Amino acid sequence: MNLPPLSLYIHIPWCIKKCPYCDFNSHAVKGDTPERAYIEALLQDLAQDLATYAISRPVNSIFIGGGTPSLFSPESFGRLLDGIACQVPLADAVEITLEANPGTFESHKFAEFRSLGINRLSIGVQSFQDGLLAKLGRVHSSKEAIRAVEIAHRAGFDNINLDLMFGLPGASASCSQEDLQVAIDLEPGHISFYQLTLEPNTYFHKFPPVLPDDEAVFLIQKAGQKLLAGCGYQQYEISAYSQTGHECRHNLNYWQFGDYLGIGAGAHGKITGALPGQIMRTHKPKSPEQYLQDSHANGGADAVTLGDLPLEFVMNHLRLRKGFSVAHYQAMTGLDPRTLEPALSGCMAQGLIDYGHGRYFCSPKGWDFLNTVLQNFVA
């Protein structure tokens, strides 16, 4: 059996300040972060996963997310990357992404991060307008954001992603267009353009701000898509736009139902054993304190049931503009294509899914109402 490609996700759970919209496993720094101990725990965590799942495949991409990973020192990441390379083979030209915030403290480390082999930077800008940044609880200014991207370019990063939100409290359609134009002028290879949503267990969910109505948000999104396309940024996933050759390989592996190890507090993973009955979803303890105290008891794993596999597959693949082929469905799940029925035929009859060149993919209507599409595949 040919196993899926393998990636590695690493979670750094600390940040300077918890943003009111953030539902990630992140915790505001109180005093010094336990960098050295956490790096060692990550390496123990990786060793345990490699042994548990008998993994010897090369890692094709590494994504260091958070939190704000760039709070850690280059020395800590050097120790981490060296330790990873000693435990598992890395593919040639492995993509290594680091999430970073635009604050001065973090951006002045960019050249050192690049020297370690980190070759992709994802900068959480969200907006280039100070009033909107304040409403989002961000700790950087628009000038710092622009400066950070300029520093990243000078540090040798030719693969940069900028995160931008739309549908912000008090924002008009022109605000998003202005944000996008500033981002485009900074010449990143990749832009993530996504809607602010009020997630459970966040401050904004408990105390919701006034947001633009659904129709306004829809028009903002369409206008943004048009501007990005006109400037050479192709939408290859619902919220991801890239210039040719700058698609995020790590995220593509998620969306194409590849495998990934997840290490760190609150990290999740997906590992394929024998098909179709041995696809595991792994999870690690969310509490950084618990994670550090007992790095040998890192969470657990749950098997994806055969009834849930079709939904698990399509909820990733249908985020991609090019969709999926039946052959890839069989290879990744081990299931007969008939297990996609009657949901697949029903979505095609409703004009939500199209078929062409041997692939099923969301129609423009289906992409706008993806949750409706996915409801058809719920077991």
Side-chain angles (χ1 to χ4, degrees):
M1 183 183 78
N2 291 324
L3 292 172
L6 180 68
S7 295
L8 172 63
Y9 175 74
I10 302 165
H11 193 73
I12 309 294
W14 292 282
C15 55
I16 293 175
K17 177 186 175 184
K18 181 78 172 180
C19 295
Y21 58 84
C22 178
D23 69 335
F24 295 147
N25 185 38
S26 59
H27 307 266
V29 171
K30 297 178 181 178
D32 294 331
T33 56
E35 283 192 37
R36 183 183 296 271
Y38 194 76
I39 294 298
E40 295 309 313
L42 287 171
L43 293 173
Q44 290 177 10
D45 190 358
L46 176 61
Q48 181 168 292
D49 273 2
L50 293 172
T52 300
Y53 301 106
I55 289 173
S56 58
R57 284 173 279 166
V59 167
N60 292 296
S61 66
I62 298 173
F63 195 104
I64 307 170
T68 305
S70 54
L71 289 176
F72 273 25
S73 67
E75 291 78 16
S76 290
F77 284 124
R79 164 68 182 132
L80 176 63
L81 293 173
D82 286 346
I84 292 169
C86 288
Q87 294 190 44
V88 62
L90 302 182
D92 293 339
V94 60
E95 177 190 85
I96 305 178
T97 300
L98 176 72
E99 284 188 340
N101 276 342
T104 301
F105 173 71
E106 296 100 318
S107 58
H108 278 84
K109 302 175 186 175
F110 288 175
E112 293 175 89
F113 291 146
R114 184 68 188 90
S115 70
L116 297 173
I118 295 169
N119 51 26
R120 185 175 184 272
L121 208 58
S122 183
I123 303 176
V125 174
Q126 314 312 352
S127 175
F128 288 101
Q129 300 176 56
D130 289 336
L132 295 179
L133 289 171
K135 290 180 180 179
L136 291 174
R138 303 296 288 173
V139 297
H140 67 269
S141 67
S142 58
K143 287 184 178 179
E144 284 181 308
I146 293 170
R147 176 74 171 155
V149 181
E150 293 171 345
I151 291 173
H153 280 302
R154 286 203 300 271
F157 285 98
D158 57 6
N159 198 359
I160 298 171
N161 169 64
L162 300 183
D163 279 343
L164 290 175
M165 285 183 173
F166 64 90
L168 304 181
S172 64
S174 62
C175 289
S176 288
Q177 292 292 94
E178 291 167 13
D179 279 345
L180 279 173
Q181 191 59 62
V182 174
I184 290 165
D185 290 343
L186 290 169
E187 300 182 337
H190 192 286
I191 293 175
S192 297
F193 182 58
Y194 55 96
Q195 180 183 352
L196 170 64
T197 54
L198 306 184
E199 300 293 345
N201 302 315
T202 64
Y203 182 88
F204 271 1
H205 191 266
K206 187 175 182 181
F207 304 101
V210 177
L211 302 179
D213 61 38
D214 290 345
E215 183 178 354
V217 168
F218 181 76
L219 294 175
I220 290 169
Q221 181 179 12
K222 292 301 179 184
Q225 291 169 344
K226 182 177 179 181
L227 176 59
L228 286 162
C231 294
Y233 291 87
Q234 299 304 310
Q235 185 181 20
Y236 68 98
E237 188 266 346
I238 283 181
S239 59
Y241 304 76
S242 77
Q243 296 176 337
T244 302
H246 286 275
E247 297 85 355
C248 179
R249 285 160 44 198
H250 185 88
N251 287 343
L252 276 173
N253 190 49
Y254 290 158
W255 298 321
Q256 292 172 342
F257 212 54
D259 281 355
Y260 53 99
L261 295 166
I263 61 174
H268 290 255
K270 169 194 170 271
I271 298 298
T272 301
L275 290 175
Q278 292 184 21
I279 296 178
M280 309 299 295
R281 292 288 189 186
T282 67
H283 49 88
K284 306 298 169 66
K286 292 184 68 175
S287 163
E289 293 76 18
Q290 182 184 353
Y291 182 83
L292 284 165
Q293 287 170 5
D294 196 355
S295 60
H296 293 289
N298 281 335
D302 302 300
V304 180
T305 67
L306 295 182
D308 285 339
L309 256 183
L311 174 63
E312 287 264 349
F313 180 89
V314 299
M315 74 189 304
N316 286 282
H317 259 283
L318 290 180
R319 293 181 64 92
L320 294 170
R321 183 174 289 280
K322 68 178 184 179
F324 67 91
S325 68
V326 166
H328 190 66
Y329 176 74
Q330 290 178 293
M332 292 294 104
T333 66
L335 297 177
D336 188 289
R338 289 173 292 184
T339 55
L340 289 170
E341 298 295 350
L344 189 58
S345 296
C347 286
M348 293 183 70
Q350 297 174 63
L352 298 171
I353 291 179
D354 291 332
Y355 180 81
H357 304 289
R359 305 184 72 87
Y360 293 96
F361 50 90
C362 275
S363 67
K365 177 184 175 183
W367 245 17
D368 288 337
F369 299 98
L370 183 58
N371 286 338
T372 300
V373 175
L374 297 179
Q375 283 296 321
N376 288 276
F377 292 90
V378 175

